Amino acid sequence: MLERGCVVNPATIDKSVKIAVVGSGYVGLIAAVCFAELGHQVVCVDIDRHRVEQLNAGEVPIYEELLPELLARHRGRGLSFTTDLTEAAKQSEAIFIAVGTPQSPTGEADLSQVEASVSEIAAALGEYKMIVEKSTVPVLTNRWIRRTLLANGAREEHFDVISNPEFLREGTAVEDFLYPDRVVIGADQARARELARRIYQPMIDGSYYRREDRVPGARELNDGVLYLETSAQSAELIKHASNAFLAMKISFINAVSNLCELVGSDVTEVARGIGSDARIGQRFLNAGIGYGGSCFPKDVRAFYKVAESVGYDFELLQVVERINTAQQQHFMKKLRGALWNLRGKKVGVLGLAFKGGTDDVRESPAIQIVRTLLAEGCQVAVYDPAAMEKARRLLPNEPELTFAADSYRAAEGAHALLVVTEWKEFVELDLRLLRGMMRYPVVIDGRNLFSLEDMERAGFQYHSVGRATVDGTRIESGGVRMR
Ligand code: NAD
């Protein structure tokens, strides 16, 4: 295992590597700009012609902090975009596969995008190249890729397949990529390990973090990143196991939040208390409406299926999923409890992205909540700082649904306001102004964004997660007096 600040063959230092990244989505595009930022020559490939045209024209197709700056810095210099995978692969020494691995109807990861790209890469393997799994894939996928390359005419001496899982989080993707907790390289062959080290060299020896023009990061990494070399199988498992563990942490604190509500305790206090134990840690202990997004739901399921396929019943993961589903239902129950009937009520929804800082709405709990509200006969007004366009494509085009210009417009005339994404701008809302625009002063907060005191002072009836219910309105015979 190569650790922090390890020594690399001096002959390879400072050599830029020709890299192809297949897929220009949330992972591929970030990896491509960051490899260019490390000094490599990168070509990023996508089958989506429109996206490649956008990128070549200098447009930024996804919302991600620091991405526009890095694209402007490297596009046309160390970074180019194309739809021609064979040509890009031919020119490259390392080919990172960062295509989608969505959930199949039976729960396993659907690896057809990986297979399609690998079959095309096989035709370009006239000399040695390293094929890198960047996408999240089930353990032993490296063997399938190898088999597919051989079946498509590639010669054994012309390639290695390694795993380099990605741990970035949308919203902080560039910083996560360049300042990671660790880089994991699962490679079984020395020549591949050496090439992977050349790629990550500026991060391994810390030289990137001493550059004046570096992207600033919160972490101090002058001594280099933690660089872990493992077998390919272990690296594949590390990724699925990490995501499953994080999802478990979220479900755990959500289960605790339900208990808090039942006994009148505060989950934020409890989370702080448990998280202060260094063995547990504070992060991912925010109670809410459950995890969503394009990774956790599918990865937990895929990990369960992988275990099942080799004869192990990883039942803990089923419970994690069950708690997650129940958490969203519990949120809707709070709304019903506050409004009685939903039919004909106007509900404002703040947030559509699956988390703050991104425009990604895939598997977003917010989207499901909006659909449920519409199905139950509500008028819904939604607002998100970044995800409106992507949400429009997923939500029905119907008169009962409006896309509001801002949070206040979403709240206007509403019987209740739901907070479902943790955007910073929601925390900064003028609560009195918001209260004044609503028909009933009811806020159901699935992200615990506001303090109980502030909501009480502003005169709201406020339901959050695992905390006391606030009633800042005047109580009359056990009920809330509505205007
Ligand atoms: P994405 O859907 O945003 O991007 C995938 C891209 O691949 C798309 O632009 C698609 O057009 C392109 N593509 C598909 N088939 C192709 C082909 N044959 N040739 C060229 N391009 C092709 O997906 P994503 O969110 O970037 O995720 C990619 C992988 O990374 C997944 O396995 C995911 O689980 C994993 N991952 C995602 C995140 C995240 O936060 N999004 C984090 C870590 C790991």
Side-chain angles (χ1 to χ4, degrees):
M1 207 176 257
L2 190 68
E3 296 287 345
R4 206 179 288 270
C6 60
V7 180
V8 172
N9 178 356
T12 64
I13 289 179
D14 289 338
K15 280 200 182 151
S16 107
V17 177
K18 289 190 176 131
I19 295 175
V21 178
V22 189
S24 65
Y26 288 87
V27 167
L29 188 54
I30 299 296
V33 294
C34 290
F35 285 140
E37 172 72 3
L38 294 178
H40 302 301
Q41 288 294 317
V42 185
V43 52
C44 189
V45 188
D46 206 296
I47 40 167
D48 182 340
R49 195 166 289 282
H50 173 64
R51 176 164 286 218
V52 171
E53 279 165 11
Q54 275 185 307
L55 285 161
N56 276 326
E59 291 168 36
V60 189
I62 55 174
Y63 178 92
E64 193 58 58
E65 221 172 83
L66 298 170
L67 179 59
E69 290 84 345
L70 283 191
L71 269 173
R73 188 184 275 187
H74 298 293
R75 192 176 58 87
R77 296 180 192 91
L79 175 62
S80 60
F81 298 95
T82 180
T83 52
D84 190 343
L85 173 53
T86 312
E87 194 46 42
K90 271 188 192 156
Q91 291 166 12
S92 306
E93 301 166 74
I95 304 162
F96 285 75
I97 299 173
V99 297
T101 51
Q103 186 174 313
S104 70
T106 45
E108 290 93 353
D110 172 353
L111 298 177
S112 54
Q113 293 179 32
V114 174
E115 186 179 355
S117 15
V118 169
S119 310
E120 222 173 316
I121 291 165
L125 292 181
E127 53 188 26
Y128 176 73
K129 294 178 195 304
M130 178 174 75
I131 318 295
V132 189
E133 298 167 350
K134 197 63 159 157
S135 300
T136 301
V137 293
V139 64
L140 298 178
T141 298
N142 71 91
R143 292 202 189 153
W144 277 107
I145 294 181
R146 209 180 119 70
R147 243 189 258 182
T148 306
L149 288 168
L150 292 172
N152 281 278
R155 285 173 41 188
E156 192 137 352
E157 65 273 22
H158 284 161
F159 71 89
D160 289 316
V161 182
I162 76 163
S163 165
N164 171 213
E166 184 47 59
F167 301 99
L168 64 77
R169 296 158 301 168
E170 290 175 24
T172 49
V174 169
E175 190 179 338
D176 288 349
F177 191 99
L178 290 170
Y179 294 80
D181 289 339
R182 77 300 207 190
V183 172
V184 174
I185 295 293
D188 300 318
Q189 312 78 12
R191 63 180 174 178
R193 281 196 294 272
E194 184 73 11
L195 181 51
R197 280 181 219 158
R198 269 176 59 202
I199 292 172
Y200 284 102
Q201 183 56 28
M203 289 164 64
I204 294 173
D205 64 19
S207 56
Y208 177 71
Y209 309 107
R210 296 189 293 274
R211 257 172 51 181
E212 281 199 354
D213 65 344
R214 70 185 177 278
V215 168
R219 293 159 64 85
E220 172 61 65
L221 282 176
N222 280 355
D223 294 335
V225 293
L226 179 65
Y227 188 81
L228 302 176
E229 287 181 338
T230 69
S231 70
Q233 266 88 296
S234 295
E236 290 167 337
L237 270 177
I238 285 169
K239 176 61 194 176
H240 261 161
S242 298
N243 273 6
F245 190 88
L246 292 171
M248 179 184 75
K249 231 178 151 183
I250 294 172
S251 279
F252 182 84
I253 199 65
N254 282 334
V256 172
S257 78
N258 290 323
L259 200 52
C260 288
E261 286 175 13
L262 293 169
V263 301
S265 150
D266 185 320
V267 74
T268 54
E269 289 175 0
V270 176
R272 184 140 188 253
I274 15 183
S276 307
D277 185 327
R279 293 169 301 176
I280 297 173
Q282 295 288 357
R283 290 160 80 189
F284 278 78
L285 280 184
N286 297 324
I289 43 171
Y291 58 78
S294 66
C295 291
F296 285 177
K298 80 165 171 68
D299 290 347
V300 171
R301 190 101 282 260
F303 199 32
Y304 177 81
K305 285 289 182 180
V306 169
E308 189 185 55
S309 73
V310 291
Y312 180 65
D313 181 10
F314 205 152
E315 52 192 335
L316 172 66
L317 298 181
Q318 288 191 307
V319 180
V320 167
E321 282 184 327
R322 233 177 13 242
I323 294 173
N324 199 55
T325 309
Q327 197 66 8
Q328 287 186 27
Q329 291 161 351
H330 186 50
F331 180 74
M332 287 302 293
K333 231 194 236 168
K334 286 179 187 164
L335 177 66
R336 286 192 193 95
L339 290 191
W340 189 21
N341 295 301
L342 292 189
R343 182 158 301 281
K345 295 270 166 57
K346 183 169 177 209
V347 180
V349 177
L350 297 189
L352 292 165
F354 84 94
K355 61 182 277 196
T358 179
D359 60 350
D360 196 349
V361 290
R362 291 176 289 180
E363 300 295 320
S364 171
I367 298 293
Q368 195 44 49
I369 286 166
V370 173
R371 285 196 186 122
T372 306
L373 292 171
L374 290 169
E376 298 211 13
C378 295
Q379 276 179 23
V380 187
V382 298
Y383 170 70
D384 186 285
M388 302 279 264
E389 201 187 312
K390 291 207 165 129
R392 266 180 214 276
R393 294 182 215 149
L394 288 188
L395 289 169
N397 183 7
E398 59 168 88
E400 297 308 307
L401 174 64
T402 51
F403 288 81
D406 59 35
S407 300
Y408 300 105
R409 297 278 101 66
E412 203 167 11
H415 293 88
L417 186 65
L418 310 186
V419 183
V420 281
T421 308
E422 68 280 37
W423 280 100
K424 194 165 163 270
E425 76 167 63
F426 298 158
V427 183
E428 290 160 0
L429 287 170
D430 179 333
L431 294 177
R432 281 184 192 280
L433 183 60
L434 198 68
R435 158 83 178 79
M437 302 200 71
M438 293 177 64
R439 174 136 181 217
Y440 291 178
V442 175
V443 172
I444 320 278
D445 179 0
R447 301 293 186 175
N448 287 348
L449 288 195
F450 304 104
S451 82
L452 303 183
E453 296 73 27
D454 286 351
M455 293 308 271
E456 182 158 37
R457 260 196 302 276
F460 280 109
Q461 185 193 130
Y462 178 59
H463 304 263
S464 51
V465 181
R467 303 189 296 172
T469 295
V470 160
D471 200 339
T473 59
R474 280 183 45 202
I475 310 285
E476 279 186 353
S477 55
V480 181
R481 196 183 65 155
M482 307 297 187
R483 290 197 279 145

